[in-house]
Amino acid sequence: MTTVRKILFAAVMASSCGIAASAQTFSGFHQSNYAGVYGILSNPASAAATRYKWDLNIFGADAKAGNTYMKVTKKALFSNMDSLHKNQDYFLDTAARRRQNGWEMAEIMMPSVMYSIDEKQTVSFIWRIRSSSSGGNIPTEQANFFGNNFPNSEYKGTSYNIQHAAVSSNIWHEFALSYARVLRNSYGGVWKGGITLKYLSGIAAGYAAVDNARFTMNSSRSGSVSSGTMRYGYSENIEHWDKPYINNLKPNGNSGFGADIGVIYEYRPDNDGFGDYEGDHWNPASDSYQFRIGVAITDIGRIGYTKAPYNTDLALASEDIDPYSLVYRKNQSIKQYTRQLNNVFTPIPSDPHFKMSLPTMLHLTGDYNINDKFFVAANADISLNAGPNNIYKTYGMTQVMVTPRYDAEYFGAYMPIVINHNGQADMGAGFRVGPLILGSYSLFTNLFRHTINRADAYVALRFIPFGKNDPNGGGIFHMRKRQLRCPANSQ
């Protein structure tokens, strides 16, 4: 494995065999009227005027990964990576005209709680452990050079150019306080707003970027680089990574701050729903809209890290390099490998600290109530920091999703249909049965494919929310009778 393959293709090659970066967590379920604390993750305004007096999350997990360059067989996903064979267990997209990319995103939703102060105001505490990796922007020709049996004599004598390519990864704790309220309640519509403030504690992070690199392989034992710069760094604790790896998921004092902000408008033609309600339950008008639209920006912020001692930038120009001197050896520590890089190329002093930006996203959402329990939602999730200007970042996947769903009291079913900016399309399913939620937006797509290059899954367990204990009986949920709409006075 070469230097560039090790660093620039880490997300592309490794994440393709992982379980699961996308723009949206808990896809399909996040728009549900029963999403509770999970709806806050994509738009903090969703908690205002909620149907729940309380919502307590016990545990949740969401993981996604994918790439555009390599596909693996389903059987190979459960095999030793060192035993995989090209064109048998995995297949490279060597003829593609696109630029190749890879991504990963995962999170563990720790115990979190949402509390409705009254029918208009809600506060929440959310604790998540998150990871995000992204990388690529590699033309297929260069991906083949490094990824297809390097050093491969097939590419001897050909000159290549990498204008800019980068990979980065970040793992962090997120402790968040969220506040949402009804901003305006008038005849025909309700405006909601919300904000989430986060304290971030970084677990580990790293990045690498190559700019303006020109190189040629003269033979299997000789290559030349005429120009180029590599900038790389990783947090110092990575050199002391413990096993089992779960032991490393503790706050390491790498601090940062972040925020989410969102607004939602609900169109309520009768201002009080579709009819009368059975019983006097907690906030019965919480989901009485005919359609809902929202906009939110999430993951504004960054985390500061200190680099490991031997991290430097590198001037890549060299007239004679043995390609095998760049190979990452099995069981070699990352500290040993970085020293090896510094011996091959010319070190350039760099700042001993870096600040890793979060994967900032713009979320545009819409939700239409077809009838009492059937809805169709649409989302556009747009990455706001995917450009080449800042290498100290990870970024989410720009995508569009449409989700028909059935939302009943103790059961929900969701069918997300997604297309991302790489042109990859997926269809999946999600289910909510009492306190249990599980799903995958790529379930049906991968079920009928022999080889896969992306996958995702999520699961969550919640304490069943309970309603306001009012003198008229109260309860957890409300039910409404379908009847002719009658205009209601604005409050």
Side-chain angles (χ1 to χ4, degrees), residues 437-481:
I437 300 101
L438 51 88
S440 165
Y441 71 70
S442 60
L443 176 65
F444 295 138
T445 307
N446 288 331
L447 186 64
F448 296 103
R449 293 193 302 178
H450 176 64
T451 59
I452 63 175
N453 62 356
R454 59 195 184 276
D456 80 294
Y458 63 82
V459 62
L461 182 64
R462 302 156 67 195
F463 180 80
I464 292 291
F466 50 90
K468 180 180 179 182
N469 186 17
D470 59 56
N472 296 319
I476 301 175
F477 303 102
H478 73 273
M479 299 174 59
R480 59 176 170 241
K481 296 178 180 178

Side-chain angles (χ1 to χ4, degrees), residues 63-202:
K64 307 172 178 67
N67 81 109
T68 58
Y69 185 59
M70 182 174 72
K71 294 183 179 180
V72 297
T73 63
K74 296 176 183 177
K75 181 180 179 181
L77 291 174
F78 305 97
S79 303
N80 187 332
M81 291 297 295
D82 294 332
S83 66
L84 301 185
H85 299 283
K86 181 183 172 185
N87 296 329
Q88 179 180 331
D89 301 304
Y90 69 93
F91 306 86
L92 303 180
D93 191 11
T94 57
R97 298 298 180 187
R98 71 172 74 90
R99 291 178 178 268
Q100 305 292 352
N101 299 283
W103 60 92
E104 169 275 330
M105 183 173 285
E107 71 173 74
I108 300 173
M109 186 83 159
M110 304 298 285
S112 303
V113 63
M114 180 183 76
Y115 174 69
S116 296
I117 299 172
D118 52 34
E119 288 85 347
K120 293 185 177 183
Q121 301 179 89
T122 303
V123 293
S124 307
F125 169 76
I126 300 171
W127 174 20
R128 293 194 283 173
I129 302 174
R130 302 175 62 187
S131 75
S132 174
S133 303
S134 50
N137 194 39
I138 309 291
T140 301
E141 293 79 3
Q142 284 86 318
N144 293 339
F145 180 85
F146 292 107
N148 188 17
N149 300 324
F150 180 87
N152 190 334
S153 60
E154 177 182 346
Y155 305 110
K156 183 175 66 174
T158 304
S159 295
Y160 295 93
N161 175 47
I162 295 179
Q163 184 176 0
H164 175 79
V167 63
S168 56
S169 185
N170 191 13
I171 309 172
W172 71 98
H173 283 266
E174 186 173 288
F175 304 96
L177 290 174
S178 186
Y179 174 76
R181 68 165 292 126
V182 173
L183 301 176
R184 187 170 183 267
N185 189 350
S186 61
Y187 180 82
V190 174
W191 286 92
K192 303 177 180 180
I195 186 169
T196 300
L197 301 178
K198 308 174 182 181
Y199 171 73
L200 312 171
S201 179

